[in-house]
Amino acid sequence: MGISALVPPVALVLGVVLTGPATSTVLAQSAGQYQKACDQGNLHACTSLGLAYAQGSGVPLDLARAVALFQKACDGGEPGGCNNLGASYARGSGVPVDLPRAAALYLKACEGGEARGCQNLALSYMHGPGVVPDTARAMTLFKKACDLGEFWSCNSLGWGYEHGSGVPQDVQRAAALYTKACEEKNAPGCYNLGLARQHGRGVPRDTALATTLLERACDGGEPRACAFLINKKQP
């Protein structure tokens, strides 16, 4: 598969992303503590407790309760709560689907410095639901999310620079963004960087390093990398 066959960023970032603790185990062990802290006015704890109810982790699954907690956090100015509330409206999880409202909540989260809110809003501008499609706006948001440490967005921004989609074409900058994503164990970033090394696009051609990067991507769960390696071995 050549670089020109890469899919758009919407397929590189897997759906809306929630804000909260890294694992459900954390939620299961801490739900009681989050409840106490939320009751005492800790809005980050309200967001985390809402995620516990949204996932049924350590507490019974209760989507309506999750939405109420996300709303409480967002109303208090906690951007993670706004992002998760937006995701609830995007998915119809505990509330009716309302894509314009989801986009507005992602914007509020992004303006508050929540990287995943920026990423989710960028995806909205790529897809078009809830907002007028605007690839240039999407790339601006992917950049903000990338700068805030959301490495899926670094990869998607790299795709934009590679193909001149929403930003001027700049294959060297694309490779640098893929490198940044890959260094943070982002499998699609390693895949795209591997292809760049395979074809000498934006970086010196190095087929041995390309194979290493594609293996890393495959091990990280990127099926296109696995398929590329299988095809590469075939006579």
Side-chain angles (χ1 to χ4, degrees), residues 205-227:
R205 188 169 186 265
D206 186 332
T207 57
L209 179 55
T211 298
T212 297
L213 290 163
L214 291 164
E215 288 173 346
R216 187 184 305 173
C218 179
D219 291 342
E222 175 50 69
R224 294 171 300 169
C226 303

Side-chain angles (χ1 to χ4, degrees), residues 9 12-13 115-116 118-120 122-123 138-139 141-147 149-160 177 181 186:
L12 301 181
V13 183
R116 290 179 175 182
C118 300
Q119 177 172 285
N120 287 337
L123 287 170
M139 292 301 156
L141 289 160
F142 280 136
K143 182 181 186 306
K144 184 171 182 179
C146 176
D147 290 343
E150 189 56 57
F151 297 105
W152 286 96
S153 288
C154 300
N155 179 56
S156 295
L157 180 61
W159 186 94
L177 285 159
N186 176 265

Side-chain angles (χ1 to χ4, degrees), residues 57-81:
S57 298
V59 292
L61 181 69
D62 189 336
L63 299 179
R65 174 77 172 139
V67 167
L69 286 160
F70 295 151
Q71 185 74 64
K72 178 179 179 178
C74 184
D75 288 346
E78 204 288 286

Side-chain angles (χ1 to χ4, degrees), residues 111-149:
E111 290 176 341
E114 172 52 57
R116 290 179 175 182
C118 300
Q119 177 172 285
N120 287 337
L121 185 58
L123 287 170
S124 297
Y125 278 108
M126 290 299 299
H127 285 287
V131 294
V132 178
D134 187 334
T135 304
R137 175 69 173 146
M139 292 301 156
T140 297
L141 289 160
F142 280 136
K143 182 181 186 306
K144 184 171 182 179
C146 176
D147 290 343
L148 288 168

